Structure formats: C-alpha cells, structure tokens
Amino acid sequence: MRLLRGGQVCCPSSGRFGPADVLLDGDRIAAVGSFDAPPDAEVIDCAGAVIAPGFVDLASELGDPGEPWREGLEHGSHVAAAGGFTTVVISPRTVPPLDEPSRVADIISRARQAPAARVLVAGALTVDLKGEALAEMGMLVEAGCEALGDGGESIADLQVLRRSLEYAAKMPVPVFLRPGVPVLEERGTMHEGLVSTRIGLRGIPAAAEEIGVAQVVALVARTRSPVHLTHVTTARAIRQVAAAVAEGLPVTASIPARHLLLTDGYLETSGYDTAGRLLPPLRSEADRAAACQAVSEGILMVGADHVPWTQVEKELEFSYARCGAVGLESAFSAALTALGELKTVVEAMSVRPAAVLGREARVAAGRVADLVVLDPEVTAEVSATRRSRGVNEPLAGRALRGAVRACVVGGEVVA
Amino acid sequence: MKRKDMLGLRGLSREEIVEVLDTAKNFRQVFSRRVKKVPTLRGRTVVMAFFENSTRTKTSFSLAAKRLSADTLSFSASTSATRKGETLMDTARNLDAMQPDAIVIRHPATGAAHLLARHFPWAVINAGDGINEHPSQALLDMLTMRDHLGTLEGKRVAIVGDVYHSRVARSNIYGLKTMGAEVVVAGPGTMCPDSMADLGVEVRHTIDDVVEDSDVVMMLRVQRERLGRAMMPSVREYARYYGLDMARLERARPEVLVMHPGPINRGVEMTPEVADGPRSVIMEQVTNGVAVRMALMFLLLGGSTGAGGGER
C-alpha cells in the first residue's frame, strides 16, 4: 500500500477540495481523507502539493509506428507521465496511418503494455486520412481503438464528413475532428492578421476554422453524432461551439494549452521560430483572451496537442517546417499560468477530457488510482532539457507557474 | 553600421537608412571613373546564394562586390546540392566551413535569411525572402527618390499592384515611413486588402485614386508565374484599372517620378511610352542598385571609411 500524505486534494467531480491523505491499494484508491494508515504503507510526501485526478489528453502524436525517432510509444508514455498525464490518446496520423485493423492491433497490444501513462489509440475515420473513403471503423473499434478521427487532418469533402459522422454515430467510441477548410489553409503558414501582414508570411484566415466548426455543427444537428473538436482556437469558433452546446448538441471542444499563452506575435519576436509553426496557428490576442474565458466557463477543455519533431523537420525555412509543437510536458504549467485557478485547470485537463472517453476522473475510494501530484505555487522555466525527443517547444525559456511533482498510474508512481 | 546583417528595413532607424544612402551616393562617384573599383573589401569573400531565379539583383550584387574588390562565389539552387535534398542549414554549414565574410541570399521562403543570420557568424544580406522583404531594392528606390526630391520627408509615394504579396512594397513601406514619407497603396482587394492599413499606409483601389497627388508612382511587377489561384480575372482587366498609361500620367503632377523594380511587363503595369518616357527613372534605379549594394557590403563588412577595410 502507498500513502500520499500531507497534501490537498482537488477533485471537482466529488467536490472535495482541501487537506486529505490518499491511500492506494494495488491499482485502486483505498481511502481519501483522514484515516489510520497501515504502518507498513510506503509514504509519499505530498506536503505543499495538490493531489488531483491525472490529466487526460485526447490528441497527441508519438510518431509510432513509422517515425520512432520523434518520440515512440514507450518513450512517449514516460513523456506524458512527466507532464502529469495519466492517459493519452494517440492520433491515427502515423506512417502509415492507423486506418487498417491488423496494423492497429499491433500498436494497441504495445499500447496496453505502455510503461508509464496509459496510451489509448484513435483509429482513422477515413482511409489514409485523406477524407475520401470511410475507414473500416467497426473493425478498428473491434481491434481496440477507443476513438475515431483523422488526427490533425480536416475532412474537406462534406459528403464524406456527413457520412463518416452518420456511420461513426453507431460506434461506441467518440469521434474527434479538427475543424478546418484545407483549401483556405493550404498556402498559409500563420494566423492571418496584423502580424502576418507585417512580417511577410502568408496567412491562414480564422475563417478556415470557423467555417470548419460551422460545417460540423450543422452536420451534428442532423446526425446527432457526438463529436469532439480537438482544436478550437478563434473567438468566433468558440462562440459557435457555445451556441451548439446551448442548443443541446453533443459537441465538445478543446484548445491546445499553448494557445492560451502565446499569440501570433510570437513569430515576430522569435524571428520566425519554426516551433511556432502550428496548425491551427497561434491566434490574435483577442482570440487568446476569448479562449481563456471559454475554458473558465467550461466551454473549452485544454489539450497538450503534442506533435514532436526533430531538427530534421524543424531546422528549416519557416514555411518548409512541419506543423506542430511538443506539449505534454508544458501543458499544465501553460494552462495554470494562463488561467490562474487550479480547479479550472483540473476540470479542463482531467475531468472533462476523461468524460469525452466515457470515464470519470475522481479522487475517491474504489476508483482506479490515476493521479497527479502538483506544485501549483512553484514557478519554473520551461527547460531546454525535456524528456521529449521533440525539439519544437515554443514555450522554452519561459517562466511558468506550476510543476508536476509526481504522476501515479494504476497505483504505481511512474514520474 | 553596428549590425551584423541586413535582413529588412523593418526596425531599421532613420540614421541607419541615411548612412546607407549617403555611403551609396559616395560610391556612385566611382562609376564615372575609368577604373571603377576600390580596394575596400580586398581579400574578403562574398557568397551569392540565389535559391530563386534572378538576373538583375544577382548581377547587381556581383558587380557591387567586384567593384569593392571582394572575391565572389555564386551558386544557384539549380546547380547546388539543394537539388539533391540538402537543407538550407546543411548548405550553410558547408559554406561556413569555407570561412566566407558575407552571404547574399535570395530565397522563396520568408525568414530564410533570418534563419542563417541567427545561426552563423558572417554577415547576411537579404536579397529577397518570400513575400517579406527586399531591403536593397527599397534602399535603391529611396536613393533614387532622394536624388530627385531632395528629401523623403513629407513626400507622397504611391505603390500600385500586388502590394500584399510584394517584398519590394513591404520594404519600401517600412523604409519610407521611417523616413517620414506618406505611402498610399493601390490594387485590387486580392492584392491590396484594407488590412494593409495596419502598416500605416493609405489603401485605395484604383490607380486613378493615387496618381494625381503623388510625388512618386511605383508600379509593381505582376508576377504571372507566381500568382495564386483566383487573384485577378485577367491581365486585360488588371491593365485597365491598374496600368499606367500616358492619359493617366498626364493627370499626375508634372514632376512625378515613375518607378518600377523590373523587369517590366510592358503593356501590363505600364505602357512602353511611360516606361521609356521622361518621367521614368527606372534606369537610374538600376545604377543606384549597384551603389546601394556596395554601401551595404561596405558598411556591414568594412565598417570604417577609407581603403583596406580591416578585420571585423
């Protein structure tokens, strides 16, 4: 048995906030509160720290299979745990993509053996993530996929989008989509606005994401298929999500944590740092502020959007570099720094993303012991020496509030 | 000049611009001599790295380096290892191993010059990066304007064409604003969106709105080979609303300067009578190009006045 002693519990699901010890027995939580702990329990000192349900990420890439140098499944599991994530869903955007049941079975069997954070696998919605033909969703789910989606790719063909939502609606797993319009994004490399005009980069209009959200919402209204939008980043797109939620449609949405802190101005101040080449791109200050507000109001949840790349893909001219940044290790401190309130962060990073997967993140007796121990008052620089193999961290060098002290998965301390 | 590199006119001070223009003016005197060469950069190596087609800019930089007695080495994307898949950074590491003093780079991607400037010790001169900046072009334009107008302060400069996607326009806007000139831009909505006003310029949508009260009319090249999809209905329609012909020129101020960064699409941006007419200073721009590029290399590499240059 293990005893997390002397900390504060932050559990929005049970409404428990305040000093409490947590006793673990095997992979479960045995007791929460004040109790007489068995004398032989291994004590983990949590003085000054906060114990919360572990973070859940719905859309990260680990480059596995196909590009193990980017992260790899086993290594990525440790990276996730280092960032306080107890569960990550990996995107089907691999090489080749996770669109083939037999191939998926292999990665799932490895994922089930992941050494630290739990790794779940999202299968493709369309063949080769091309948005043209439906993937064998039934067999992908049967093989063990816990979500369906096309990773960072947006489906351009609206008939295919409609049919894939209708088909996937009968599956027992959630559907993840990145809202966007590929033809409006194709030549752009950053958010279109004052900064893109000033620094001479072709822009991606916010309309690409906003039209993408509008399309999905209209189709969900028709198909009633639950959809999670993995990247909602503009003020207008957020308003559309809020309206859909208010209407009672089964739509949820998340934003990458870094988008709560950084704006398009980063590309000017950093001199075209390719770590800031992202899709969706870093947005305007007005969008950023609207996003923070939306997270606080429960409209958006917060993801890591972990897309590691090495020098090979990032030490290039800005428009030639691949899109994406690492995020698993900085997401918590980015979110806490931007949002200020720990309870908001735990709701946005643990409770609501777990609910998308049909799970409940709760620190209570009898529950699986997937927990994170946080130091919310520590300020630390996002270090250049991270565990991730990705070099692309646009938050590097920034002093952010909050640190992960330990991560517990299935009762084991994995970070 | 206390800079290592010349990446763009955004952020350059008025004093720095004046220093370049004054130095260029002095170098121009060399051109009328029988021996058009000074020993200033003797023993220094300048690499011309052109990853995009260019005849006039490359020729101009090469001649400028030669007139300063620098050794030049030139390669273009079609003859270099980039065709074999080598990255820009790898190419640059190899160049670095040969100890160059400066590199002049033209590249289709915005920020390519900045990438090299950040990683290597030698001077980087941006000869055009994507749609971002083309600083030596704007400096030669400003030198030409100053020759005729005496000063740039308070002068009104019209830039007509695909302003949004033009590195020439962007550099001119930054330089001219810093020098106290007014800039007005004109073009169709696809090439000259109202958001250009964020850069502190006036935005108009036909040439007739800008030609009458400007001291300078700068026509941008229509890069037919590089236009994106659906940027304009036809060349004919473009010429009708944005082309400069004699009838429009007659409504301009009598002393107006007509400029173009070249090469001209005659009959599109302007008619031949305008291009070759008395208000055109296009050939002076070419001459000043060599002088400005000598000034840039001299100021970045030489630093001190007088022959010899010296160590950085």
Side-chain angles (χ1 to χ4, degrees):
Chain A
M1 293 184 116
R2 291 195 171 90
L3 179 64
L4 304 179
R5 193 169 67 190
Q8 309 269 324
V9 164
C10 173
C11 178
S13 302
S14 60
R16 184 190 275 275
F17 302 97
D21 293 344
V22 178
L23 184 67
L24 312 181
D25 186 6
D27 69 342
R28 299 271 157 177
I29 297 170
V32 181
S34 43
F35 43 79
D36 292 322
D40 60 337
E42 176 194 341
V43 173
I44 297 160
D45 179 25
C46 294
V50 173
I51 301 161
F55 304 138
V56 175
D57 184 67
L58 300 176
S60 280
E61 294 187 11
L62 299 179
D64 202 345
E67 301 166 307
W69 56 87
R70 286 176 57 195
E71 204 75 278
L73 192 149
E74 289 77 15
H75 186 74
S77 168
H78 286 295
V79 172
F85 288 88
T86 52
T87 298
V88 285
V89 182
I90 58 168
S91 154
R93 191 161 63 174
T94 55
V95 182
L98 300 177
D99 62 352
E100 219 286 316
S102 62
R103 205 152 53 219
V104 167
D106 175 62
I107 193 83
I108 287 172
S109 70
R110 282 175 53 214
R112 286 179 178 153
Q113 305 296 315
R118 297 176 200 277
V119 178
L120 308 182
V121 176
L125 212 47
T126 69
V127 174
D128 212 18
L129 314 181
K130 284 209 164 97
E132 291 165 3
L134 302 189
E136 292 168 323
M137 296 178 215
M139 288 197 278
L140 288 168
V141 172
E142 195 183 324
C145 289
E146 311 226 20
L148 293 166
D150 272 357
E153 308 295 334
S154 298
I155 298 175
D157 184 322
L158 293 178
Q159 183 69 302
V160 174
L161 182 60
R162 170 199 163 155
R163 297 297 184 206
S164 57
L165 291 183
E166 285 173 347
Y167 195 89
K170 307 306 166 199
M171 301 288 152
V173 298
V175 170
F176 298 166
L177 296 172
R178 181 181 74 78
V181 178
V183 290
L184 287 176
E185 293 166 349
E186 67 190 5
R187 295 187 81 189
T189 55
M190 71 173 288
H191 177 68
E192 190 170 281
L194 169 59
V195 179
S196 71
T197 302
R198 194 156 61 207
I199 69 174
L201 283 172
R202 287 176 198 271
I204 299 172
E209 180 177 312
E210 292 154 1
I211 294 169
V213 172
Q215 289 176 169
V216 172
V217 168
L219 290 170
V220 169
R222 178 180 159 69
T223 63
R224 297 278 153 179
S225 323
V227 168
H228 178 74
L229 299 167
T230 50
H231 301 76
V232 171
T233 59
T234 80
R236 186 182 298 274
I238 292 164
R239 287 200 298 276
Q240 295 181 71
V241 170
V245 170
E247 204 187 318
L249 297 179
V251 173
T252 53
S254 55
I255 184 169
R258 68 181 79 84
H259 282 65
L260 300 174
L261 268 190
L262 299 176
T263 64
D264 54 355
Y266 174 75
L267 299 175
E268 183 168 14
T269 54
S270 71
Y272 309 100
D273 178 13
T274 56
R277 171 120 162 76
L278 304 167
L279 190 62
L282 295 170
R283 299 295 188 183
S284 70
E285 173 56 26
D287 291 320
R288 189 200 68 79
C292 289
Q293 177 78 21
V295 175
S296 300
E297 290 170 0
I299 295 160
L300 289 183
M301 47 193 98
V302 175
D305 190 36
H306 185 72
V307 182
W309 294 110
T310 66
Q311 276 195 348
V312 177
E313 299 93 2
K314 280 291 192 183
E315 198 184 63
L316 292 171
E317 298 85 328
F318 189 80
S319 55
Y320 300 174
R322 299 293 300 262
C323 290
V326 297
L328 284 169
E329 291 169 274
S330 57
F332 164 64
S333 46
L336 185 62
T337 304
L339 299 167
E341 206 193 337
L342 185 63
K343 173 173 173 276
T344 305
V345 174
V346 172
E347 282 176 346
M349 292 182 64
S350 306
V351 177
R352 285 188 276 130
V356 170
L357 296 172
R359 299 166 185 216
E360 195 186 32
R362 185 189 280 258
V363 184
R367 300 293 173 141
V368 170
D370 282 5
L371 302 169
V372 62
V373 181
L374 302 166
D375 280 324
E377 301 309 328
V378 166
T379 295
E381 195 171 286
V382 177
S383 159
T385 56
R386 299 174 295 271
R387 293 201 67 157
S388 173
R389 292 181 175 137
V391 298
N392 45 329
E393 174 54 277
L395 293 167
R398 272 171 200 261
L400 300 183
R401 187 185 145 204
V404 173
R405 192 188 287 191
C407 185
V408 176
V409 175
E412 297 294 323
V413 180
V414 294
Chain B
M1 182 167 276
K2 290 192 174 65
R3 285 175 184 269
K4 178 172 98 57
D5 312 291
M6 174 54 62
L7 301 176
L9 298 194
R10 179 163 55 92
L12 217 64
S13 70
R14 194 175 180 126
E15 292 67 33
E16 288 174 299
I17 292 172
V18 168
E19 187 181 14
V20 175
L21 300 187
D22 289 349
T23 308
K25 199 174 158 195
N26 287 336
F27 276 125
R28 208 163 51 191
Q29 294 165 4
V30 175
F31 300 173
S32 53
R33 297 186 198 157
R34 196 174 64 83
V35 177
K36 300 179 182 60
K37 196 161 182 154
V38 292
T40 314
L41 295 186
R42 195 170 50 203
R44 314 297 290 278
T45 305
V46 179
V47 178
M48 308 286 161
F50 280 68
F51 295 87
E52 217 177 48
N53 287 336
S54 158
T55 306
R56 100 185 32 209
T57 303
K58 191 173 171 183
T59 309
S60 180
F61 267 110
S62 297
L63 187 59
K66 288 182 168 72
R67 286 186 173 171
L68 290 167
S69 304
D71 295 314
T72 63
L73 158 69
S74 144
F75 71 93
S76 52
S78 55
T79 59
S80 72
T82 54
R83 277 286 159 95
K84 300 173 194 161
E86 191 174 70
T87 66
L88 177 62
M89 285 296 288
D90 281 333
T91 302
R93 285 188 187 100
N94 279 279
L95 286 174
D96 186 49
M98 298 182 225
Q99 291 89 32
D101 296 287
I103 180 166
V104 176
I105 178 173
R106 163 164 295 189
H107 198 290
T110 292
H114 307 67
L115 179 66
L116 298 189
R118 196 160 57 235
H119 284 96
F120 296 97
W122 16 269
V124 176
I125 299 176
N126 183 2
D129 66 318
I131 62 168
N132 182 35
E133 284 225 43
H134 189 354
S136 64
Q137 177 71 43
L139 289 163
L140 74 87
D141 291 337
M142 288 194 284
L143 178 59
T144 309
M145 290 179 217
R146 203 180 68 167
D147 287 344
H148 287 269
L149 305 175
T151 176
L152 297 171
E153 180 80 49
K155 301 299 178 186
R156 188 170 167 86
V157 178
I159 305 178
V160 180
D162 190 359
V163 180
Y164 189 85
H165 301 99
S166 170
R167 53 199 178 202
V168 174
R170 213 167 252 103
S171 284
N172 265 293
I173 289 168
Y174 294 131
L176 288 165
K177 295 291 295 177
T178 302
M179 296 305 290
E182 279 175 42
V183 180
V184 55
V185 299
T190 48
M191 300 176 169
C192 211
D194 290 339
S195 62
M196 293 301 298
D198 291 340
L199 301 185
V201 302
E202 274 179 55
V203 181
R204 299 293 172 81
H205 294 295
T206 77
I207 190 170
D208 295 310
D209 291 338
V210 301
V211 81
E212 284 174 21
D213 52 357
S214 295
D215 297 292
V216 176
V217 178
M218 180 184 294
M219 306 300 295
L220 299 175
R221 178 177 159 75
V222 175
Q223 299 192 298
R224 274 180 277 193
E225 67 284 5
R226 260 196 253 157
L227 280 180
R229 281 193 293 157
M231 289 296 285
M232 62 185 196
S234 68
V235 168
R236 185 172 69 172
E237 175 150 324
Y238 181 86
R240 181 178 178 90
Y241 297 109
Y242 303 101
L244 188 58
D245 58 15
M246 290 307 284
R248 283 178 168 139
L249 194 57
E250 274 159 21
R251 291 203 300 279
R253 295 181 182 174
E255 68 285 6
V256 70
L257 302 179
V258 173
M259 304 181 75
H260 191 290
I264 305 173
N265 293 301
R266 285 171 197 268
V268 182
E269 297 101 61
M270 58 179 76
T271 59
E273 309 90 84
V274 172
D276 307 324
R279 300 319 313 155
S280 165
V281 294
I282 295 170
M283 290 305 119
E284 291 174 41
Q285 290 175 266
V286 176
T287 305
N288 284 335
V290 179
V292 157
R293 286 158 183 142
M294 288 174 78
L296 286 176
M297 287 186 241
F298 169 77
L299 291 170
L300 294 176
L301 291 182
S304 61
T305 47
E311 293 300 307
R312 251 193 303 157

